Structure formats: C-alpha cells, structure tokens
Amino acid sequence: DTGVSQNPRHKITKRGQNVTFRCDPISEHNRLYWYRQTLGQGPEFLTYFQNEAQLEKSRLLSDRFSAERPKGSFSTLEIQRTEQGDSAMYLCASSPGLAGANEQFFGPGTRLTVL
Amino acid sequence: TQLLEQSPQFLSIQEGENLTVYCNSSSVFSSLQWYRQEPGEGPVLLVTVVTGGEVKKLKRLTFQFGDARKDSSLHITAAQPGDTGLYLCAGLGSSSNTGKLIFGQGTTLQVKP
C-alpha cells in the first residue's frame, strides 16, 4: 500500500496526558499537512511542512501542540496536557508539491478521544 | 479570511434521484477539490477543477467550477446507496504559498434503497 498511513488509528487518553501521532506520507511527496476535523465539520488546517521545514502553523495550534518532520519523511504531532476539547480526528495529507492544483492525499486519520 | 459555504448540510434521498451540492465563497480560489469521506476514514479525492467554467465528469458525478472561480457544484445523477457519505469541497487560496486547503463544512448524503 503506497498511500498515506497514520498510527494509531484510535487513541483514548485521560485529560492531562500527552499523546503522539505519526504520519507516513506517500514516498517522495515533499509537502505534508496536518488537519483537525471535529464531528460534522470539514477539516481545519493545523500545520504544513515542506521537506523538514515547518513553514506555516495555524492559530489553532496552541503551544501544547508540536509537530516535527525531522528527516523530511514521516511526521509526528504531539499534544501535551490534553484537554477534552482536543477530541477530534487528526488527519495527515501529503502532496508532491507540483505547481498548480496541489492535490492532497489524505491518510485514514487518528481519532483522539480525551476523557 | 477565505471561507467556503456548502449547501445543503444534510441530504436524504431515495435511490435513483438526482441531487446537487453547492460550494460558494466570496473569494477567488486557484483550484477547488472535491472529496468524499466515509465514517472513520480520511477524505478521498474525487476531482480537481482549476479553470473557471470547467466541467468534469466522473461516471454519474458532474463537477463544475464557476466562471469567476468563487463557486463550484457537484451533481449526482441517479444516486445509489453506495454514494452515501460526506462530500467536502476544498479550495486552494489564490494567494497561498503553502498549498493549505480551506474546506467547506461538508454535505452529508444518505441514499436510501
């Protein structure tokens, strides 16, 4: 399977705990995005990487959130001191970064539930 | 801030009926993508429209990009239960350097047999 993969698919945690999610993009896609989706809504942009450089962060990304893409391949998204409001589906997408439409291909997501 | 408004938010129809989903904005987009999402899964790309006035067909699905590139529509002919899902439009801002997508809130479609 050469699509975008995300792990874990589901995470249940208690308020105050830290969680980390992983995204493996499509090989050789140099653009990687994180989005967050709550029930009944469309995804909202969180952050963007071009290779290993994090070039944009949304205001939605509070200081409890940190993302990395150390070697320009896989990426991790960490949430510290989780709150119930962090419960959502966290989606990763990758793009080849070609000029034009910038089509993005999404992974299956990580469903986070904070109790 | 660029926004995309989708309508309707919910649609429940019988198998065989036709439907149209609209995606509107006051802003111009460089391109617009339509996705379909199943519960518990990520969005799957259906089509990308780039040129104003462009029409693309994917079997029973017809996608149109407005002449001014501010709106788009998805028309499904003779809907089938397998079409059930969340349909999302997503725009690429005309001034975006990063390629981030701005999503509409989605249209939940239920097609009853």
Side-chain angles (χ1 to χ4, degrees):
Chain A
D1 188 344
T2 57
V4 178
S5 62
Q6 291 187 247
N7 287 289
R9 292 292 309 275
H10 304 273
K11 180 69 177 179
I12 300 174
T13 191
K14 292 183 179 178
R15 190 176 54 187
Q17 298 293 305
N18 299 343
V19 295
T20 300
F21 310 141
R22 176 177 170 128
C23 170
D24 287 89
I26 294 171
S27 297
E28 299 177 358
H29 276 194
N30 58 18
R31 293 187 174 197
L32 188 147
Y33 302 82
W34 285 97
Y35 293 84
R36 180 170 69 186
Q37 184 179 25
T38 53
L39 207 59
Q41 299 296 317
E44 294 175 291
F45 169 78
L46 291 179
T47 192
Y48 157 69
F49 289 87
Q50 172 103 16
N51 299 311
E52 67 276 7
Q54 188 175 20
L55 297 184
E56 186 172 352
K57 292 196 291 186
S58 163
R59 274 175 268 180
L60 292 175
L61 217 65
S62 76
D63 56 5
R64 296 184 297 106
F65 287 71
S66 62
E68 294 183 341
R69 195 183 182 197
K71 297 181 181 178
S73 56
F74 73 91
S75 176
T76 57
L77 177 67
E78 181 183 15
I79 309 175
Q80 295 182 324
R81 306 180 303 280
T82 52
E83 301 172 356
Q84 287 184 323
D86 296 332
S87 295
M89 174 79 94
Y90 289 84
L91 294 163
C92 176
S94 71
S95 165
L98 300 173
N102 193 48
E103 293 181 335
Q104 296 180 23
F105 299 89
F106 283 81
T110 295
R111 167 75 64 189
L112 173 66
T113 301
V114 182
L115 302 175
Chain B
T1 303
Q2 292 183 297
L3 294 172
L4 275 171
E5 296 286 338
Q6 265 186 259
S7 61
Q9 281 193 280
F10 301 98
L11 199 51
S12 181
I13 61 172
Q14 293 294 135
E15 181 176 1
E17 292 184 8
N18 302 332
L19 66 116
T20 301
V21 176
Y22 299 94
C23 184
N24 295 296
S25 176
S26 58
S27 305
V28 175
F29 289 94
S30 298
S31 65
L32 200 133
Q33 298 170 19
W34 284 92
Y35 291 84
R36 180 166 164 266
Q37 185 177 24
E38 305 247 5
E41 299 293 331
V44 175
L45 182 64
L46 296 174
V47 80
T48 300
V49 285
V50 179
T51 307
E54 183 175 5
V55 176
K56 281 192 174 178
K57 292 193 175 184
L58 187 66
K59 297 183 182 177
R60 294 176 293 101
L61 279 60
T62 301
F63 304 85
Q64 186 162 8
F65 202 12
D67 291 341
R69 293 185 287 133
K70 292 182 179 181
D71 56 87
S72 182
S73 64
L74 157 61
H75 182 79
I76 301 179
T77 303
Q80 298 177 1
D83 296 327
T84 293
L86 177 68
Y87 289 82
L88 295 159
C89 63
L92 177 63
S94 56
S95 59
S96 173
N97 295 323
T98 62
K100 69 182 181 187
L101 294 175
I102 296 161
F103 280 84
Q105 66 268 61
T107 295
T108 299
L109 171 65
Q110 181 187 43
V111 182
K112 294 182 258 187

